[in-house]
Each structure stands twice: as structure tokens, then as C-alpha cells.
Amino acid sequence: MSEKLICRKDSQIAQEMVEHNLSYAQKPFGPYLAGITAHVYADTFSHYGFSGVGSRWNKIDFDSIELLNLEPDIEPHIKAKSESFFEKFKEDAVENFRAITNRAMSSAAEVAALGHGEALTHPDRPYLQWQFDYEHPEKRSSGLRNNPATFLESCEKLHEMFCRFGKQHSGARLDDGRPFGVIRDTVSKILATQAPREGRIEAWEFAAESGALFAKPENILPYQGGQWAEEADMLREAEDSKAALDTSLFRFFQAAAMHRTYVLRDLLPSHGIVAD
């Protein structure tokens, strides 16, 4: 069964998810659902070849991993991030397994087949070209994983998705949009930027602020997580639960619940997959 859960780029299941979720564009939680959808859709282009459950199909030969195009300045950063990711992945996996089975884990190898964990953060690095060998069902090469090319595919599909959302959501603004073909080279250069997260954020911000992405210069808003934490604190003290209805926090949870229920109870079963 876990073989059916292996992620595939822009799969039929992913396309049906996008179609369904965009049908709620006009709902109050529509923009939040579009954000969730974009994250899940983009992950099909970065996480292909792995499944999000513990599975032998995720097992790889760690020593076979080859990073093919790293610039010298970024190598120490990649090594440090890989080490910290593996330690956190191992600790979380062992803790979760103990919680479920109430017994000690004999070795980290037993839990190292969860998602793309054995491949560390390499699937999520847009600038990376790399390859490795799977261990199950037999040793086989992954082939070249050309993240810059795959992420560019993802960006084009996301551009198309958000254009569709904009046409269906009355509050969206489309007049400053550009066809993807016009910005393809700019996006490609940003994806190829070999830098830590902060440096890649700066590359996107510079492109937006200089007018290279939109019809006129735009500022990319900072992460709003702090604002949502403040909303959560406010709602804990609210006397009337209706105060939650117009908050971003509540709209996000509405969207997340809608997405989860649809995927688990409708979309996957329609393809012969039952998951929980």
C-alpha cells in the first residue's frame, strides 16, 4: 500500500486537489486554502520519489548521495544543516515511535525511512543538483535530481494556479501580473542562487522591489507568524467565541480542516487509497 503513496510531480491526484480547492476561492477562508494548496502542490515537485509515511520505499543508501554542483562557499552550510536536520529527524522519529509503541527504539535506522528524511534537506534546496541510490525493492539509481529545473516547473504551475485563483476571487488584483514567460529567466536565476535561506529570501525581495517580477515594484511582506500568535492570545481572553470568525488564525484552521477532510475522505479513496 505504501507504494501507492509515493509522491509524483504534478500527479493526477495533485491536479484534482488544486481543482477542488480553487472552487472555494470566494469563501472567507479561500485565500488561506489557496496558500495551503500551493504548499502541498509545490511539494509534489520537490518530494517526488518519496512518501510522507514510514516506508521501505523511502530507504536510500546514504553513502550514495552525490551533490553535483555545489559552490565552495555553500558547502559548509549544507554540511551543518544536514547534520542538524538528521539529529532532529532522528530524535523526533524515535520520540514518536516510543509514544506509539511504548517501547524503546533499538536503532535510528528503524525509523529513518519516514518521508525524505534519509535524503536530509536536499529535496528542498532549489539550487541543488544531486543523485542517490534507493535500497528498496532493489538497489537502483534515483537518476539526476535537477532541483533548479524541477523548481522552475513548480513555479510555473503555481503561477498558473494563482492566476486562476485571482480570476475566481473578487478581492484579488490581477492588473500587476505578468505572464510567466516574461519572468521565467528572473525566477530561474533566483532558484539557482546558492545561499542560506536569508540570502535566497533577499534574492526574491530584490527582484520584487526592483520591478523584475511584477509590472511595478512591490514589497514582499515579512512572515506574519507573530501576528497569529497575538490573535491566539486575544481569543483565549475573548468573552464571545464569535470573535474568532474574522481572524486569520480561524480562517486558516477552517481551510486546513477542509483540505484534510477532502484529501483523506474523498480524494485518496477515489483513487483506491485509504489513509488516516
Side-chain angles (χ1 to χ4, degrees), residues 60-86:
I60 70 174
D61 177 1
F62 186 79
D63 293 331
S64 72
I65 296 176
E66 293 183 79
L67 309 184
L68 305 174
N69 68 328
L70 283 187
E71 298 171 358
D73 290 347
I74 197 67
E75 285 193 58
H77 173 75
I78 293 292
K79 182 178 180 181
K81 294 295 287 185
S82 295
E83 290 175 352
S84 64
F85 175 86
F86 182 75

Side-chain angles (χ1 to χ4, degrees), residues 59-231:
K59 296 283 293 178
I60 70 174
D61 177 1
F62 186 79
D63 293 331
S64 72
I65 296 176
E66 293 183 79
L67 309 184
L68 305 174
N69 68 328
L70 283 187
E71 298 171 358
D73 290 347
I74 197 67
E75 285 193 58
H77 173 75
I78 293 292
K79 182 178 180 181
K81 294 295 287 185
S82 295
E83 290 175 352
S84 64
F85 175 86
F86 182 75
E87 287 303 314
K88 185 179 187 305
F89 172 82
K90 181 174 64 176
E91 291 171 5
D92 289 350
V94 170
E95 187 62 31
N96 289 339
F97 191 88
R98 284 175 175 164
I100 294 171
T101 64
N102 197 31
R103 67 180 178 85
M105 177 64 61
S106 59
S107 72
E110 293 181 58
V111 295
L114 177 63
H116 65 78
E118 290 200 343
L120 307 175
T121 59
H122 302 329
D124 293 320
R125 299 195 174 279
Y127 51 80
L128 191 61
Q129 294 181 27
W130 60 300
Q131 61 189 25
F132 61 90
D133 292 335
Y134 286 101
E135 287 190 350
H136 180 79
E138 68 278 328
K139 199 154 191 172
R140 68 193 192 283
S141 173
S142 67
L144 174 65
R145 303 266 302 200
N146 188 344
N147 289 7
T150 306
F151 276 58
L152 188 61
E153 290 179 53
S154 172
C155 288
E156 184 167 14
K157 289 293 185 177
L158 289 175
H159 182 277
E160 177 186 331
M161 190 202 90
F162 280 116
C163 285
R164 291 181 58 197
F165 173 80
K167 291 177 181 178
Q168 297 177 44
H169 183 71
S170 59
R173 191 184 74 196
L174 296 177
D175 54 313
D176 291 335
R178 283 178 171 171
F180 191 79
V182 175
I183 63 173
R184 179 186 298 275
D185 288 346
T186 297
V187 173
S188 181
K189 289 177 182 177
I190 296 172
L191 294 175
T193 300
Q194 297 200 16
R197 179 178 62 182
E198 293 76 13
R200 288 181 279 124
I201 290 174
E202 289 176 3
W204 283 107
E205 289 177 337
F206 178 79
E209 293 167 2
S210 66
L213 285 179
F214 309 108
K216 62 181 182 181
E218 295 278 359
N219 291 321
I220 296 179
L221 294 175
Y223 178 60
Q224 302 292 306
Q227 176 184 323
W228 287 22
E230 291 176 4
E231 285 187 351

